[in-house]
Amino acid sequence: MPSRLTSAVLATLASAITVSAHGHVVTVSIDGTSYQGFDPTSAPYGPQPDSITWSNGATDNGFVLSSALQDPDIICHLDATNAALSAPVAAGGDVSITWNQWPDSHKGPVIDYLADCGGDCSTVDKTTLKWFKISEMGQLELGSGSGTTGKWADDLIIENGLTWKVKIPASIKAGNYVLRHELIALHEGLTEGKAQMYPQCINLQITGSGTQSPEGVVGTQLYTATEAGILHNVYNDEKLSSASDYKIPGPAMPAFDGSSSNNNGGPSSSEDSTPTSTASPEPTSTAPALTTTASTTAPTTSATAQPVVSSPAAPTPTRSCSSKKRRARRHARQVKNL
């Protein structure tokens, strides 16, 4: 049985992976149309096209710590601001979400929420949005323990070409919504306040004849730092009897179409919430192909999308390495001729 010190050492080793190994959403695909995601790592150096994904300030692909779960950053990521566009999706349809990368050491659940904007999602105050779960998946298989982790929901993202598919409940009322797609990394979750949260927000215009409008919870009240699904040691599976012993954090998922929520690990939406079985869905001929790296192609937008004028920061000029080398050689000649 590993000691607490052993678990702490393993957590430290896991956290030693550079922040560049973390990730962000690069592509959202709906009904054959692909939309480019906001790239926080490129945003400081040039304009970003309007997108259906919310912008955020995680320029190092970073995270929100579980010590800040009552901070507005937990809602849609660090300093997140509203997306200018919305993508149409039919209730009962699928939304495929592709990340640029995700480290194998980062084990944890994948949770998807919706919040009704009650109007224009490009201007809604994020602190007023009330979120309800539509999909959740936690631990799938126990590890052997003694420092060996089991299989988790985010492992399926890696297995499926960095793509996760979530189904919009068929019974949901039509309207403008924000989809909150979240990965939680628990490799340091044995220490209070050290679990890493990676929320990504996407504007959707849901169509259909559904009438269900579940009550939600504001983002700053979704979690606490000490609840079992956040404060959790992924290295000590020998203390668990089954993967369902892990309790997915957050509020209970409402029932859709007569289905009940399931907080015990497996896929649990009213429909099939399993991730895609291929690397990426097939886009239309006019849409950019899905890739696992950040795209530079402007997103395909719908007729109902409402772009806004943005004023991104201009690129910061830098000196090249080659110019530095030329100056060094010139200086060496000058010294020699003295």
Side-chain angles (χ1 to χ4, degrees), residues 316-328:
T316 303
T318 59
R319 294 179 177 177
S320 68
C321 293
S322 59
S323 63
K324 292 180 181 178
K325 291 178 181 178
R326 288 195 296 270
R327 288 197 301 273

Side-chain angles (χ1 to χ4, degrees), residues 107-111 133 136-142 151-154 182-187 189 195-197 223-224 227-235 237 239-250 262-266:
K107 308 295 186 182
V110 180
I111 309 174
K133 285 180 180 176
E136 59 181 8
M137 187 182 291
Q139 188 167 15
L140 306 179
E141 299 173 8
L142 289 180
K151 186 171 184 177
W152 289 79
D154 56 8
E182 182 176 42
L183 276 57
I184 301 177
L186 298 173
H187 55 290
Q196 298 176 4
M197 324 293 285
Y223 309 117
T224 65
E227 68 179 283
I230 299 291
L231 184 60
H232 181 79
N233 188 343
V234 297
Y235 305 104
D237 278 1
K239 295 184 176 180
L240 306 178
S241 59
S242 71
S244 64
D245 288 347
Y246 172 76
K247 303 303 179 184
I248 299 173
N262 173 5
N263 280 324
N264 294 319

Side-chain angles (χ1 to χ4, degrees), residues 89-314:
V89 59
D94 295 326
V95 178
S96 293
I97 303 165
T98 301
W99 289 69
N100 67 323
Q101 57 190 9
W102 188 252
D104 179 68
S105 65
H106 287 31
K107 308 295 186 182
V110 180
I111 309 174
D112 294 285
Y113 296 84
L114 281 177
D116 188 345
C117 294
D120 190 348
C121 292
S122 70
T123 58
V124 69
D125 180 353
K126 63 185 177 184
T127 63
T128 67
L129 291 172
K130 293 187 175 182
W131 305 93
F132 55 91
K133 285 180 180 176
I134 60 170
S135 175
E136 59 181 8
M137 187 182 291
Q139 188 167 15
L140 306 179
E141 299 173 8
L142 289 180
S144 60
S146 300
T148 301
T149 58
K151 186 171 184 177
W152 289 79
D154 56 8
D155 289 319
L156 296 183
I157 290 180
I158 297 173
E159 291 178 8
N160 289 279
L162 297 172
T163 296
W164 184 264
K165 184 167 68 177
V166 59
K167 185 174 290 291
I168 304 301
S171 61
I172 204 72
K173 182 185 72 174
N176 296 319
Y177 290 81
V178 180
L179 171 64
R180 183 179 182 274
H181 169 66
E182 182 176 42
L183 276 57
I184 301 177
L186 298 173
H187 55 290
E188 291 189 83
L190 71 164
T191 302
E192 183 178 336
K194 292 294 187 179
Q196 298 176 4
M197 324 293 285
Y198 296 83
Q200 306 274 293
C201 287
I202 303 163
N203 285 356
L204 299 176
Q205 185 182 66
I206 298 177
T207 61
S209 57
T211 58
Q212 194 165 5
S213 182
E215 183 64 27
V217 178
V218 294
T220 53
Q221 295 179 16
L222 288 173
Y223 309 117
T224 65
T226 56
E227 68 179 283
I230 299 291
L231 184 60
H232 181 79
N233 188 343
V234 297
Y235 305 104
N236 281 0
D237 278 1
E238 74 276 5
K239 295 184 176 180
L240 306 178
S241 59
S242 71
S244 64
D245 288 347
Y246 172 76
K247 303 303 179 184
I248 299 173
M253 195 171 71
F256 296 102
D257 290 333
S259 299
S260 59
S261 62
N262 173 5
N263 280 324
N264 294 319
S268 57
S269 71
S270 59
E271 322 279 349
D272 176 17
S273 64
T274 55
T276 52
S277 57
T278 57
S280 61
E282 182 180 354
T284 61
S285 58
T286 58
L290 294 180
T291 63
T292 57
T293 58
S295 170
T296 57
T297 306
T300 304
T301 60
S302 66
T304 55
Q306 301 177 0
V308 295
V309 178
S310 59
S311 301

